C-alpha cells in the first residue's frame, strides 16, 4: 500500500478537459493553471511571467494535487498524490506525472519538509503496528521513498534515514528513490502515484497454513 506525505486542503475542483491522460487542460471549465495558481495563492505567477512552459517539479513539491482513493482505518479519506511537472503557458494546461480522467475530482495538497522527512518512519511504524508482530520480530525492510520527495527533503534526508532506523528497531533495510510509485489503495485498486511512500517489512514470525483436500 502507498502512503502520501501530504495533507488535503479545502481547495478542490473537477477536471473538465484532458489532453491525453496526463495533461489537465481545464478545471471547473477554466484553464487549469489559472485555478491551480489561485489555489496556491499565486505561487506560480512570477514563474509564468518570466518563462515559457516552465518545469515546476521543484515548486509543486509544496503543493501537489491529490485524489481520494478509499478510506483509512479511521474512515477518513485516503489520498493519492499527483505531482504537477510543467505549465503550458499558451493553453493554461498543467502536465502531471499520474493519469487523470475527465470528470474526476482533484484537490490541492500541501505539506512541509518536516512532513516528508518524518513520513517514511511513520509508514514503517504503521505497518509493524497493524501487522500484528512486535518490533523485536522485525528482520528487515524494503522501503520506497519517492525521488521527488527526497529532493524536497534536501539536506534533511539523513534525518529521515535515522528516524526510519529507529522505527525498524535498528534492523537492516534497503530503500530506493523512485520517480513514480505503484501500489494498492484502500479501495482495492492498484494505481500509479507520485510523492508517495511504502514499506515491506519482514519478520521472523512463521505463518502456518493448513491445506485441505476437498
Amino acid at each position: 500500500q502507498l502512503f502520501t506525505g501530504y495533507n488535503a486542503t479545502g481547495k478542490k475542483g473537477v477536471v473538465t478537459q484532458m489532453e491525453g491522460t496526463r495533461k489537465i487542460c481545464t478545471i471547473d471549465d477554466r484553464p487549469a493553471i489559472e485555478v491551480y495558481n489561485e489555489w496556491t495563492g499565486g505561487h506560480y505567477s512570477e514563474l509564468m511571467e518570466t518563462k515559457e512552459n516552465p518545469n515546476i517539479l521543484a515548486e509543486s513539491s509544496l503543493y501537489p494535487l491529490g485524489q481520494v482513493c478509499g478510506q483509512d482505518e479511521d474512515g477518513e479519506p485516503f489520498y493519492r498524490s499527483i505531482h504537477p511537472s510543467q505549465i503550458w503557458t499558451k493553453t493554461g494546461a498543467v502536465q502531471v506525472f499520474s493519469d487523470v480522467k475527465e470528470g474526476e475530482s482533484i484537490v490541492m495538497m500541501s505539506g512541509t519538509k518536516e512532513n516528508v522527512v518524518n513520513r517514511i518512519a511513520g509508514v514503517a511504524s504503521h505497518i509493524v503496528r497493524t501487522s500484528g508482530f512486535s518490533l523485536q520480530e522485525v528482520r528487515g525492510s524494503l522501503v520506497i521513498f519517492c525521488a521527488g520527495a527526497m529532493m524536497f527533503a534536501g539536506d534533511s534526508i539523513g534525518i529521515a534515514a535515522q528516524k526510519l532506523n529507529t522505527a525498524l528497531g535498528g534492523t537492516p533495510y534497503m530503500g530506493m528513490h523512485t520517480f513514480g510509485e505503484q501500489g494498492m489503495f484502500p479501495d482495492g485498486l492498484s494505481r500509479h502515484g507520485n510523492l508517495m511512500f511504502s514499506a515491506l517489512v519482514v519478520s521472523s514470525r512463521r505463518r502456518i497454513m493448513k491445506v485441505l483436500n476437498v
Side-chain angles (χ1 to χ4, degrees), residues 61-134:
S61 293
L62 277 171
Y63 303 110
L65 300 172
Q67 287 185 318
V68 176
C69 297
Q71 296 181 333
D72 63 17
E73 295 89 345
D74 299 319
E76 297 296 323
F78 194 99
Y79 289 90
R80 168 179 76 119
S81 44
I82 301 168
H83 200 171
S85 60
Q86 187 175 14
I87 296 169
W88 296 95
T89 47
K90 290 185 178 179
T91 63
V94 176
Q95 196 82 31
V96 294
F97 273 173
S98 292
D99 291 357
V100 182
K101 296 178 182 178
E102 291 180 2
E104 291 184 339
S105 296
I106 56 174
V107 60
M108 189 182 79
M109 312 285 282
S110 68
T112 65
K113 183 180 290 188
E114 184 179 10
N115 292 149
V116 171
V117 167
N118 292 334
R119 190 54 170 153
I120 190 61
V123 167
S125 295
H126 170 79
I127 291 173
V128 171
R129 184 172 61 254
T130 57
S131 294
F133 49 78
S134 69

Side-chain angles (χ1 to χ4, degrees), residues 137-196:
E137 293 174 289
V138 174
R139 293 295 176 265
S141 182
L142 173 64
V143 301
I144 303 296
F145 191 121
C146 174
M150 178 268 291
M151 293 167 64
F152 184 38
D155 294 341
S156 298
I157 193 67
I159 298 174
Q162 292 170 6
K163 289 178 178 289
L164 176 61
N165 182 65
T166 300
L168 293 172
T171 55
Y173 66 87
M174 180 171 67
M176 62 186 79
H177 298 295
T178 57
F179 282 108
E181 298 76 48
Q182 294 81 36
M184 294 293 292
F185 286 82
D187 62 3
L189 298 179
S190 181
R191 292 184 176 87
H192 177 96
N194 312 125
L195 300 168
M196 304 200 78

Side-chain angles (χ1 to χ4, degrees), residues 184-213:
M184 294 293 292
F185 286 82
D187 62 3
L189 298 179
S190 181
R191 292 184 176 87
H192 177 96
N194 312 125
L195 300 168
M196 304 200 78
F197 305 81
S198 189
L200 172 67
V201 180
V202 180
S203 81
S204 60
R205 183 175 297 189
R206 305 178 75 179
R207 174 174 292 183
I208 300 174
M209 299 179 65
K210 292 183 179 181
V211 179
L212 301 178
N213 293 323

